[in-house]
Amino acid sequence: QVQLVESGGGLVQPGGPLRPPCAASGSIFSISINAMDWYRQAPGKQRELVATITSGGSTNYPDSVKGRFTISRDNAKNTVYLQMNSLKPEDTAVYYCKTEVRRITGVYTYWGQGTQVTVSS
C-alpha cells in the first residue's frame, strides 16, 4: 500500500509563489524508483497533468505551466515538491500528486487527497 499526502496549499496573491509538498509512505515504496506526477482540477474542469518527474530525474510540463512550475524530490524524505511561481488566478485548483506502482499482480495507481490552491487578490 502507498499513501500520498499533499499539504501546503492556501490563498496566494497573483504573482506569488507556493511550494506544496507531497509526502509518500508505504512499506516498500520509494519515490526514487517511481515516477511521480502532480495534477490539478479546477471547478467544472477535467483533472490535468501539470508536472512529472521520472525515476531517472527527468521532468516534463505542459505549456500552461512551463517556466513557472518546477517539480523536484527529496529522496531522503520520500517527498516530492511542486514549486509554483508567478501564480495566476487560472492556477486556482485542487492539486493532487499521483504515482503508479507495477507489481506482479498488475499496475496500481495511488492518489493523494489533494490540497486547495487559490490565487486571488
Side-chain angles (χ1 to χ4, degrees):
Q1 190 66 280
V2 176
Q3 293 81 41
L4 302 175
V5 179
E6 306 93 337
S7 61
L11 175 64
V12 61
Q13 290 190 340
L18 209 58
R19 188 178 181 242
C22 169
S25 62
S27 59
I28 56 173
F29 179 78
S30 171
I31 63 170
S32 64
I33 59 172
N34 286 278
M36 301 292 297
D37 304 312
W38 278 96
Y39 282 75
R40 69 184 179 187
Q41 187 166 22
K45 294 188 177 181
Q46 288 189 329
R47 194 170 293 191
E48 64 168 337
L49 178 65
V50 295
T52 296
I53 185 165
T54 68
S55 57
S58 298
T59 58
N60 197 33
Y61 311 91
D63 289 343
S64 58
V65 306
K66 194 173 292 182
R68 299 189 299 122
F69 288 13
T70 303
I71 187 171
S72 63
R73 66 187 183 205
D74 184 332
N75 293 338
K77 295 182 179 179
N78 225 20
T79 298
V80 177
Y81 300 93
L82 184 66
Q83 178 70 50
M84 303 186 288
N85 297 326
S86 303
L87 281 163
K88 305 174 182 180
E90 51 264 43
D91 294 318
T92 295
V94 178
Y95 284 72
Y96 302 88
C97 63
K98 187 204 98 172
T99 192
E100 291 185 348
V101 177
R102 286 169 170 74
R103 299 193 179 101
I104 294 174
T105 50
V107 179
Y108 298 83
T109 301
Y110 298 94
W111 292 89
Q113 84 290 347
T115 186
Q116 175 70 48
V117 173
T118 302
V119 185
S120 175
S121 55

